[in-house]
């Protein structure tokens, strides 16, 4: 895989700046065995990142970008399940394509006075193409098999508030606590049932609380 890129930074005003990125990805996948096949992929991945400082302490940021997920080799070739010795070889999908998405996000960051810490939040929406999920690849001899395949388009959206605060107010300036809360959902059409459901193995929420204590 090769990825040449261009990056440009434009200071529109003392409070506003725009960073634009253009990445060109070209890759080749070849495989031999039961199936001998060579495939070439080309993607153009633009990104725009606009930042605006409402005040020296409060910043708004808007981002729009195209992302391309890389393929897992075990998805398009046959593989063994190391956790199930009684299971036959897991089928692969030689025609699998990368899952892509257009992702849009709006975030804010507020720096607390006296370098106490930072509070922030991100609102995001993603429009996915060629979502990878399980599809039916059963052979004609009535042996049921499934493999990862492209099942169509889907959407993803959520909110991610977070923070990072120094505990100087209780006499521990070297202690940093960082809480975060992720709430999200997704939607795609199930290839077997024809109903709308979430992405495979997609979490709906996550709460995290981390602590770091620097000891001089």
């Amino acid at each position: 895989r090769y990825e040449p890129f261009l990056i440009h930074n434009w200071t529109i005003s003392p409070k506003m700046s725009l960073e634009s990125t253009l990445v060109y990805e070209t890759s080749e996948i070849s495989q031999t065995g039961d199936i001998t096949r060579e495939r070439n992929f080309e993607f153009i991945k633009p990104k725009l990142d606009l930042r605006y400082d409402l005040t020296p302490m409060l910043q708004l940021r808007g981002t729009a970008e195209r992302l391309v997920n890389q393929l897992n080799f075990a998805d398009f070739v046959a593989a063994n399940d190391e956790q199930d010795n009684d299971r036959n070889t897991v089928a692969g999908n030689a025609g699998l394509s990368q899952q892509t998405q257009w992702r849009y996000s709006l975030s804010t960051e507020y720096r607390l006075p006296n370098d106490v810490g930072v509070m922030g939040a991100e609102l995001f929406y993603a429009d996915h193409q060629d979502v990878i999920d399980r599809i039916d690849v059963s052979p004609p001899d009535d042996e049921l098999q499934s493999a990862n395949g492209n099942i169509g388009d889907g959407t993803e959206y959520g909110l991610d508030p977070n923070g990072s605060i120094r505990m100087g107010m209780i006499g521990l300036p070297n202690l940093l606590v960082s809480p975060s809360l992720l709430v999200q959902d997704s939607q795609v059409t199930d290839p077997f049932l024809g109903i709308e459901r979430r992405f495979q193995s997609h979490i709906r929420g996550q709460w995290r609380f981390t602590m770091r204590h620097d000891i001089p």
Side-chain angles (χ1 to χ4, degrees), residues 98-142:
Q98 285 99 325
Q99 179 174 331
T100 64
Q101 62 172 289
W102 283 98
R103 191 174 187 88
Y104 311 93
S105 65
L106 178 63
S107 59
T108 179
E109 180 181 283
Y110 177 68
R111 296 187 177 275
L112 300 174
N114 302 320
D115 196 28
V116 172
V118 177
M119 301 295 291
E122 179 187 20
L123 181 67
F124 62 88
Y125 173 84
D127 185 13
H128 293 255
Q129 299 82 41
D130 295 325
V131 174
I132 295 178
D133 208 321
R134 305 304 290 180
I135 62 172
D136 183 14
V137 293
S138 302
D141 56 0
D142 295 332

Side-chain angles (χ1 to χ4, degrees), residues 115-117 164-178 209-216:
D115 196 28
V116 172
S164 184
I165 305 173
R166 298 186 183 277
M167 295 289 98
M169 70 285 293
I170 60 174
L172 296 173
N174 293 324
L175 176 62
L176 184 71
V177 298
S178 302
F209 184 85
T210 62
M211 300 174 61
R212 191 186 79 187
H213 192 185
D214 296 330
I215 302 176

Side-chain angles (χ1 to χ4, degrees), residues 37-51:
R37 186 174 184 181
E38 181 177 297
R39 293 179 291 159
N40 295 284
F41 299 96
E42 294 182 350
F43 299 99
I44 296 178
K45 301 185 290 186
K47 178 182 178 180
L48 293 176
D49 187 359
L50 179 65
R51 303 184 184 187

